[in-house]
Structure formats: C-alpha cells, structure tokens
Amino acid sequence: VRLEIEGDSHAAEEKYREAMTGFEHILSPTHKLTNELAYRLATLYVDRDCMGKADEVLNQMYDKLIRRWGFSHENTINHLLRVSKLYNNWSRTEEALSLLYRVLDIWDDPVMNGEIPRRHSQHRNIGSPGTSVQHQGSDQMPGRWAHTDDTLRRNYQLSLANTKLSPDDSAGEETLMLLIDQCESHRQKLSPQLLRARCTLIKVYSQQHDHPNLTSALAQAREEVHNILALKIQDTGNDILKACIEVGKLHLEYGRQETAEDMFQSIAEKAEDGPLHISPPKITILIHIGKLYQSRNTWQKAKPWFERALAASMATTEWASPLTKVLDAALKNQHYCYSFCDDGMLFHFDEIRKIGLVF
C-alpha cells in the first residue's frame, strides 16, 4: 500500500503478488484475506488503465471459488456482488448489471444451484460477452423474496438498487421503501441491510434534488442508527457498526456535523462495549471514523480517533504489532496513509506476521 501511495505501482504490484502467494499457501487460495488482496491488485491495474489484467485477476478468483465452493455458495455469490460493485465504480454499469442478473440465473438454475450434478453445467468468465443484461424477474425486486431474512439475497437487492441508481428511475424509490419495510421486519438480523437501504434512499433524494424528502430521510436514518445501537444484539459485529458509520458519513457530507459526531461517539462506545479489551477488528471502527475526518482535511477532528485507536491497540496487542506501529506513525506524521483496515479488509494480524508482510 505504501508503494501504491508513493506512485510506484509496479513495485506495489510485485508486493501484492508476493503477499497473495503467501496467503494462498498459509491460509488458502479462497481465504477472505487472499481475496481482498486480489481486489486491491485488480484496482491497481485499473488505475494503470490495464482493465484486461484486472479482469484476469477477477476471473482467476472466480474460477478458484467455483472449484472450491461451487456456483451457488455464499462465498461465490459474494464475489460476484463485489465485482459488480467494482465494475460500477469503474463505469462499467452494463457489465455490473449483467453480473447481478447472472446471480439470479444461478439461483434459478437447478444445475448451478446444486440440484443437478455440476458435470452437466458450464460457466463463463466474469467479464465474458454474451451474458444477458436483463432478467425477466428483475422488475419484481424486491417483492421476489418478500418475507425472507436471508442476508445474501438482501445484499443482492441492495447491489441491484445501487447499480441502477438514477434520478430518473421513479421505481427506485418505491423499491427501496419496500426493501426497507421488509428489513424492518427482521431488524435483529438485517440491521446492516436496513441502514444501507436508507443510505441509498438518501442518495436517491439527493440526486433528485428533493430537499424535503432528503431531510426526512437523513433524520429517519439517524433514528434507525439510534434504535439499532440500542438493540440487545448478542454480537454487534463490524458490519452493523460500519453500516452505522455510513449513515454518519452522509450526515457529514450534507453539513450535519454535530449529528454525525454524536453518532460516531455512540458507534465507538458500542464498539468498545463488552470485554476488557476490544478486538483489532473493532479498533478498525475507530480508524474508519478518523479517516472520514482526515478525508475532509480536518486533522484536528481526526487525531482523537487515531489516538483512541492507538490506546485500544496497545491494550489489545503488544507494541510490535503492525496495527500499533501504523497508528503511532500516523499520529507522528499527522496522516493515516494505510488502508488495510478499510473496506471490509479486517486483517488477522498474527496471520499477516506469519508470512512477513511488511507495510
């Protein structure tokens, strides 16, 4: 990551590939950490205008996941959802939609879904031509799974809603409202999906320049964060807390700094609640909030969050841990420049040190 930030993309590519090889041998070719490095490598290629190489990395991942888990396994489907998000970020919207409709094909196909032996089936690479961009059941989302509390299918619906996000899509608002209602029926299990659906609805109103509904949607999302943090959920995991942070981030973007800060304080308290020492993944919640303020060029507001994360890291791990070193350097340099802890990449630091990954 340091080399990537410094602009030495070729050296960064070499380090990413070395780290991936280490993870493949020590963890597995389809481990979450191996996959996260592959997504970073693909993004690096896109930044260098090497889209073909990025597709090659993603297709290799897809093949490994299919061989290990099959077409319809949660890990394989999550990969397709992640790639569709990347394609959308890379202005490849048609291909992103195509991937999402392929997920429907997998769920509808008894061969791909494991009901018929896989030897009778064939699969294409992720970015290959010939995949349908439209699916006959797509217009019935999310009514298709009206009563399910399945997180994977709700994540799919959110991916589809975000990919199709457009101020001219009048059906988008109705779809999101229905999805929100359905997630509210399973708030204990679908809290992250509920919050992210509300975030997407906020973006819809923003694109439409609908200020009254935007104001109302922000207030409802803030209230939802309050309600969810008050729930007696056995394990308030990072996914819930990160979804809460997304709501706070939108409040920052729309000029509601005090409300955002109050939410961030509540989120941090929830992360720190529980055992004597919070785990490294929970520490990344504090880092995430700090980076939000840093990205707005407000180091004075970012600094306390990194100090809080450093104190928690020192209480949880020894001084020599990579996380502690990174946080100490960030405070000395008044800038946090690493992103291993962001975007869902919650490293198991002991596993990192096993392969000698230096950052």
Side-chain angles (χ1 to χ4, degrees):
V1 174
R2 175 180 55 79
L3 293 169
E4 187 178 350
I5 293 170
E6 293 173 354
D8 193 346
S9 62
H10 292 285
E13 174 190 354
E14 182 179 348
K15 288 295 183 182
Y16 277 138
R17 288 199 173 276
E18 287 179 4
M20 283 176 59
T21 300
F23 280 163
E24 286 178 351
H25 283 88
I26 292 176
L27 304 175
S28 79
T30 58
H31 193 278
K32 179 180 179 180
L33 303 185
T34 311
N35 292 342
E36 288 294 344
L37 279 177
Y39 295 132
R40 279 208 162 275
L41 179 60
T43 301
L44 177 68
Y45 283 135
V46 171
D47 291 341
R48 283 168 42 186
D49 294 324
C50 299
M51 193 67 75
K53 287 187 175 181
D55 283 341
E56 182 180 346
V57 171
L58 297 174
N59 284 328
Q60 288 173 352
M61 291 176 63
Y62 187 44
D63 287 340
K64 292 174 183 176
L65 286 163
I66 290 173
R67 288 197 297 269
R68 174 65 179 86
W69 300 108
F71 287 99
S72 61
H73 191 276
E74 179 180 1
N75 292 342
T76 309
I77 298 298
N78 276 328
H79 172 68
L80 292 177
L81 298 185
R82 179 69 174 269
V83 175
S84 73
K85 181 178 180 180
L86 290 174
Y87 278 177
N88 198 36
N89 292 341
W90 300 339
S91 300
R92 297 169 63 177
T93 306
E94 291 295 303
E95 289 167 280
L97 286 172
S98 178
L99 275 186
L100 292 173
Y101 295 142
R102 180 184 296 187
V103 172
L104 283 186
D105 290 336
I106 290 172
W107 280 332
D108 289 344
D109 189 328
V111 174
M112 290 186 170
N113 207 22
E115 297 172 19
I116 297 177
R118 194 192 312 168
R119 64 177 179 272
H120 297 301
S121 67
Q122 296 178 345
H123 72 274
R124 292 185 291 263
N125 287 335
I126 284 179
S128 64
T131 306
S132 173
V133 179
Q134 182 60 32
H135 189 283
Q136 63 180 1
S138 63
D139 293 333
Q140 280 71 53
M141 295 299 173
R144 180 186 177 107
W145 302 303
H147 304 293
T148 184
D149 64 350
D150 182 74
T151 57
L152 190 58
R153 281 165 171 73
R154 295 306 183 195
N155 286 336
Y156 169 85
Q157 292 168 329
L158 278 170
S159 296
L160 187 60
N162 279 291
T163 304
K164 297 176 70 174
L165 192 63
S166 168
D168 301 323
D169 183 12
S170 58
E173 179 183 350
E174 296 179 9
T175 298
L176 283 167
M177 293 298 292
L178 180 58
L179 180 56
I180 287 169
D181 287 342
Q182 293 167 355
C183 289
E184 284 179 337
S185 300
H186 305 281
R187 186 180 271 105
Q188 285 274 347
K189 186 174 181 180
L190 298 177
S191 292
Q193 291 74 18
L194 173 57
L195 290 170
R196 292 190 174 109
R198 288 200 175 277
C199 287
T200 302
L201 186 61
I202 290 170
K203 295 173 187 176
V204 168
Y205 290 139
S206 178
Q207 288 189 357
Q208 294 174 347
H209 304 289
D210 187 342
H211 298 294
N213 275 325
L214 174 61
T215 300
S216 176
L218 283 165
Q220 289 172 347
R222 178 198 63 206
E223 184 65 22
E224 200 68 69
V225 168
H226 175 76
N227 292 337
I228 287 172
L229 291 179
L231 287 175
K232 300 297 183 182
I233 300 177
Q234 186 174 7
D235 179 20
T236 307
N238 266 47
D239 198 30
I240 294 176
L241 297 179
K242 286 172 65 179
C244 291
I245 289 175
E246 290 177 32
V247 176
K249 178 183 177 182
L250 288 175
H251 279 75
L252 270 183
E253 291 177 358
Y254 293 111
R256 292 159 171 81
Q257 285 86 357
E258 290 185 7
T259 301
E261 188 165 345
D262 287 344
M263 275 193 283
F264 292 149
Q265 291 293 345
S266 297
I267 293 165
E269 289 170 7
K270 193 71 174 181
E272 294 169 333
D273 187 28
L276 292 175
H277 302 305
I278 61 175
S279 64
K282 294 292 180 70
I283 295 170
T284 63
I285 292 296
L286 306 176
I287 295 173
H288 196 113
I289 297 171
K291 282 180 64 67
L292 285 180
Y293 282 112
Q294 177 180 278
S295 68
R296 301 175 65 84
N297 298 316
T298 53
W299 174 253
Q300 289 307 310
K301 284 189 173 293
K303 180 182 176 182
W305 293 102
F306 293 121
E307 290 176 335
R308 197 165 170 176
L310 176 60
S313 180
M314 291 175 64
T316 306
T317 63
E318 68 268 25
W319 175 255
S321 77
L323 178 60
T324 300
K325 287 183 176 180
V326 165
L327 289 166
D328 183 57
L331 289 166
K332 289 178 179 177
N333 299 328
Q334 297 190 3
H335 185 78
Y336 183 92
C337 60
Y338 295 93
S339 53
F340 277 95
C341 301
D342 300 335
D343 302 323
M345 197 167 190
L346 305 175
F347 274 76
H348 301 288
F349 298 100
D350 288 339
E351 292 174 341
I352 291 177
R353 282 186 279 176
K354 284 180 184 178
I355 65 169
L357 179 60
V358 177
F359 58 94

